[in-house]
Amino acid sequence: MGSQQNVLNQLVSFILGASAAAVLLFFLTSAGSASRSTGISSWANGTLEFADGPLQDASSPATEAAVHADEKGTTEPDDELERLLRAVADEDRTVIMTSVNEAWAAQDSLLDLFLEGIRNGERTAHFADHLLVVALDGGALRRCRAVHPHCYLLPAAAGRNLSDEKVFMSKDYIDLVWSKVRLQQRILELGYNFLFTDVDILWFRNPLERMSVAAHMVTSSDFFFGEPYSPFNLPNTGFLYAKSSARTVGAFEAWRAARASFPGKHEQQVLNEIKHDLVAKRGLRIQFLDTEHNAGFCNNTRDFNTLYTMHANCCVGLGAKLHDLGNLLKEWQAYRQMDEAERRRGPVRWKVPGICIH
């Protein structure tokens, strides 16, 4: 009965928070989930099964060109991308990624807060060396280069003004989140695994510890119902891991192709539509992370003892995000000063009231 009540409480919190957040979000803020899955047959490239092995054929059509065009005709400079991937990848060829526009990359804004959090978490500091920051405009690129050595300008952002606030679900929002998926697919094609994290996510502990080596893809959850491999969980692609293989590249191709069948929907909504078929027809093993460990403002554990990451979703406006994440980081630092006995006595909750977090 207690767990059922908890799920009900989470559902109410999520619906209320998501309703407020739908008014206005910054670019690339992860949104709520979409409706139940529909068929894959109308847009998938047949029912071809993909092997699990890593991509090794450098002469394949997907990898032979140094520069290639995406669906809108823009080009991605693979030489620069490959150079950066080689520089940041760890020994397992895994790259951490985040993305920022000029407002999010500005001094004392979300990029600085994100870097501070990752450098001061438990067993997370080394991830800063493996972080690729994707800039969505020239201002973000300049600011990124002032604070971090590995910055990449998303080619699809060229000529766009993405430095200000963006209305949620605007054309720029839709186009750019899909360009992010194209970049992620390209990274997989080049033989690298990635862990994408929205920049408004604080890292407290090593999130890889919560991820199964058996999964092809791992996503955080807007809603988690108890079974990590069940597609009935609701994904939040603001925190997304994918392992490089022909199977995952095929899944990303299908994901991007599905956009035409769901016009006007962003990438997370489309993934939610097709997740059942990716699992059933393509054999994709998707792990959904428990919100007890990988939480968000509209669905959180309220306990530092179990928390690995915290996402400032269901929170409108840069000022509100900075206020709440900044306070949360200060409380985390105080928590780290506690001795083990004090931590074990019970849940350790944050005390400072937030604008969005509850």
Side-chain angles (χ1 to χ4, degrees), residues 238-317:
F239 194 82
L240 181 70
Y241 169 85
K243 185 184 302 180
S244 177
S245 71
R247 186 184 300 271
T248 53
V249 170
F252 270 71
E253 289 174 343
W255 185 7
R256 291 174 55 237
R259 180 184 181 183
S261 295
F262 303 100
K265 291 192 174 182
H266 58 71
E267 96 293 4
Q268 180 175 300
Q269 291 174 318
V270 173
L271 179 63
N272 195 56
E273 295 280 2
I274 68 173
K275 61 188 177 181
H276 289 272
D277 287 314
L278 291 177
V279 171
K281 297 185 178 181
R282 292 182 174 267
L284 191 71
R285 292 191 295 272
I286 306 175
Q287 179 191 0
F288 296 83
L289 295 172
D290 192 336
T291 53
E292 180 180 1
H293 306 293
N294 299 91
F297 279 7
C298 50
N299 190 351
N300 65 75
T301 72
R302 308 185 187 190
D303 186 2
F304 278 130
N305 282 329
T306 62
L307 198 58
Y308 279 70
T309 62
M310 177 64 84
H311 191 178
N313 54 7
C314 294
C315 191
V316 178

Side-chain angles (χ1 to χ4, degrees), residues 50-323:
F50 292 88
D52 282 330
L55 298 175
Q56 297 176 338
D57 183 8
S59 64
S60 68
T63 59
E64 64 183 0
V67 176
H68 70 281
D70 69 9
E71 63 267 41
K72 289 187 176 294
T74 58
T75 59
E76 292 183 5
D78 276 10
D79 288 347
E80 174 68 2
L81 179 60
E82 289 188 71
R83 180 188 69 79
L84 286 165
L85 293 174
R86 286 193 299 269
V88 301
D90 67 10
E91 63 274 12
D92 295 320
R93 295 178 66 85
T94 298
V95 174
I96 313 299
M97 300 171 57
T98 193
S99 58
V100 291
N101 64 4
E102 185 173 1
W104 286 26
Q107 185 173 356
D108 298 323
S109 191
L110 287 173
L111 180 58
D112 285 353
L113 194 63
F114 175 82
L115 291 173
E116 182 181 359
I118 208 169
R119 289 167 178 158
N120 289 281
E122 293 181 356
R123 304 176 301 279
T124 63
H126 66 285
F127 287 118
D129 297 329
H130 303 293
L131 174 67
L132 177 65
V133 178
V134 178
L136 303 175
D137 51 60
L141 182 66
R142 289 188 295 273
R143 169 61 182 159
C144 175
R145 286 175 172 169
V147 296
H148 188 68
H150 308 301
C151 308
Y152 178 72
L153 180 64
L154 185 68
R160 297 174 187 255
N161 176 20
L162 299 170
S163 60
D164 57 351
E165 296 190 16
K166 291 296 169 185
V167 176
F168 179 56
M169 299 302 290
S170 68
K171 184 179 186 300
D172 279 341
Y173 177 92
I174 296 292
D175 287 346
L176 264 294
V177 293
W178 282 107
S179 296
K180 178 190 71 176
V181 177
R182 180 65 190 93
L183 176 62
Q184 292 170 345
Q185 179 184 325
R186 187 59 186 153
I187 290 171
L188 296 175
E189 291 169 349
L190 292 170
Y192 293 89
N193 318 309
F194 72 81
L195 173 54
F196 176 84
T197 171
D198 277 346
V199 76
D200 60 341
I201 296 179
L202 286 179
W203 289 32
F204 299 117
R205 295 180 173 89
N206 181 354
L208 296 178
E209 296 175 359
R210 308 303 311 179
M211 299 183 187
S212 170
V213 296
H216 301 121
M217 182 185 294
V218 181
T219 178
S220 60
S221 306
D222 271 342
F223 247 146
F224 181 77
F225 293 106
E227 169 50 55
Y229 282 94
S230 170
F232 288 99
N233 296 305
L234 303 185
N236 187 310
T237 54
F239 194 82
L240 181 70
Y241 169 85
K243 185 184 302 180
S244 177
S245 71
R247 186 184 300 271
T248 53
V249 170
F252 270 71
E253 289 174 343
W255 185 7
R256 291 174 55 237
R259 180 184 181 183
S261 295
F262 303 100
K265 291 192 174 182
H266 58 71
E267 96 293 4
Q268 180 175 300
Q269 291 174 318
V270 173
L271 179 63
N272 195 56
E273 295 280 2
I274 68 173
K275 61 188 177 181
H276 289 272
D277 287 314
L278 291 177
V279 171
K281 297 185 178 181
R282 292 182 174 267
L284 191 71
R285 292 191 295 272
I286 306 175
Q287 179 191 0
F288 296 83
L289 295 172
D290 192 336
T291 53
E292 180 180 1
H293 306 293
N294 299 91
F297 279 7
C298 50
N299 190 351
N300 65 75
T301 72
R302 308 185 187 190
D303 186 2
F304 278 130
N305 282 329
T306 62
L307 198 58
Y308 279 70
T309 62
M310 177 64 84
H311 191 178
N313 54 7
C314 294
C315 191
V316 178
L318 178 59
K321 288 176 183 285
L322 287 171
H323 176 275

Side-chain angles (χ1 to χ4, degrees), residues 297 315 320 323-325 327 350-358:
F297 279 7
C315 191
H323 176 275
D324 285 11
L325 289 175
N327 282 341
W350 40 91
K351 307 174 186 64
V352 177
I355 297 172
C356 300
I357 194 171
H358 51 276

